[in-house]
Amino acid sequence: MSYVIVAKRYASALYQVANENRLVDQVGADLQLVSETLAKTPEFVTLLQSPKVALEEKKELISSAFTQVQSITKNFLSVIVEGRREEALAEISKEYTKLADDAKGVLEVVVTSASSLDDAERDGVTDAFSKILGRQVRIQEKVDKSLLGGLVVQVGDRLYDGSVKNKLERFQDTLKETRVG
């Protein structure tokens, strides 16, 4: 089930409170920590989502697990637990990051490559797309070994496909057209 609509509402509310308190970056870092923790500990997620675990016990689990986060974030996590929206936390974190990035003029760029980028390649892609788009970019990396080489870069709805796989497919199409014509 997709929690995008719910996530957008919660993220928007949290962003407004964080912005009013000038804690946008800190709360964003808190949400990143929460998301990473939940991704690494599925048993913790199971406890949070279990109907057998009492609401107060869930709040105590979150409070003890995330002692270093801002009070705004702790209160927000309590609201999430009370509303039984624990399953939407990862999506809320993504939506919050989008709101914070938009406010700062940062654009997320998804870069898919055949293997992990090294620092120089990552910096090169970041610089190139910052110049092309006229905005600061933040790269989210993905690896897809079927690409063979090159990069596929997604910026919102736009796709820049410079993969070897795509070039070979275009070359094959050109050969087919040549034979037919």
Side-chain angles (χ1 to χ4, degrees):
M1 180 178 180
S2 176
Y3 299 102
V4 176
I5 294 171
V6 169
K8 284 183 179 185
R9 287 182 184 152
Y10 278 98
S12 178
L14 179 59
Y15 179 81
Q16 287 176 357
V17 172
N19 193 35
E20 289 169 6
N21 288 281
R22 293 182 169 88
L23 293 170
V24 171
D25 291 339
Q26 295 89 329
V27 171
D30 290 349
L31 287 179
Q32 184 67 32
L33 172 70
V34 170
S35 292
E36 289 171 1
T37 302
L38 296 178
K40 291 177 186 174
T41 53
E43 57 279 351
F44 186 63
V45 175
T46 302
L47 277 173
L48 287 178
Q49 293 178 350
S50 173
K52 294 179 181 177
V53 178
L55 184 63
E56 290 306 315
E57 191 176 346
K58 289 179 183 183
K59 285 183 180 180
E60 184 55 41
L61 282 169
I62 284 179
S63 181
S64 62
F66 302 110
T67 57
Q68 69 277 30
V69 300
Q70 300 290 321
S71 60
I72 291 171
T73 308
K74 281 185 187 179
N75 292 340
F76 176 75
L77 293 173
S78 289
V79 169
I80 293 295
V81 169
E82 287 172 9
R84 302 197 189 287
R85 298 293 190 181
E86 302 91 341
E87 69 281 351
L89 271 169
E91 194 65 36
I92 292 168
S93 180
K94 287 180 193 173
E95 292 298 327
Y96 181 93
T97 300
K98 285 180 189 176
L99 289 169
D101 284 351
D102 284 347
K104 290 186 258 181
V106 175
L107 194 60
E108 182 174 82
V109 174
V110 180
V111 178
T112 306
S113 57
S115 61
S116 295
L117 300 176
D118 63 29
D119 290 340
E121 292 168 328
R122 191 175 302 108
D123 290 345
V125 171
T126 301
D127 292 344
F129 276 88
S130 289
K131 289 176 185 169
I132 290 168
L133 301 168
R135 292 175 68 181
Q136 182 182 355
V137 298
R138 182 174 39 80
I139 291 182
Q140 177 190 350
E141 290 184 52
K142 292 184 179 181
V143 174
D144 180 355
K145 296 196 184 297
S146 73
L147 293 180
L148 305 176
L151 299 173
V152 176
V153 180
Q154 182 174 355
V155 182
D157 294 342
R158 290 183 281 174
L159 194 67
Y160 301 88
D161 194 341
S163 66
V164 172
K165 179 181 177 181
N166 182 50
K167 289 176 183 176
L168 288 172
E169 287 171 356
R170 287 190 309 212
F171 181 67
Q172 185 178 19
D173 291 344
T174 303
L175 286 176
K176 286 179 185 176
E177 289 173 10
T178 306
R179 287 185 206 160
V180 173

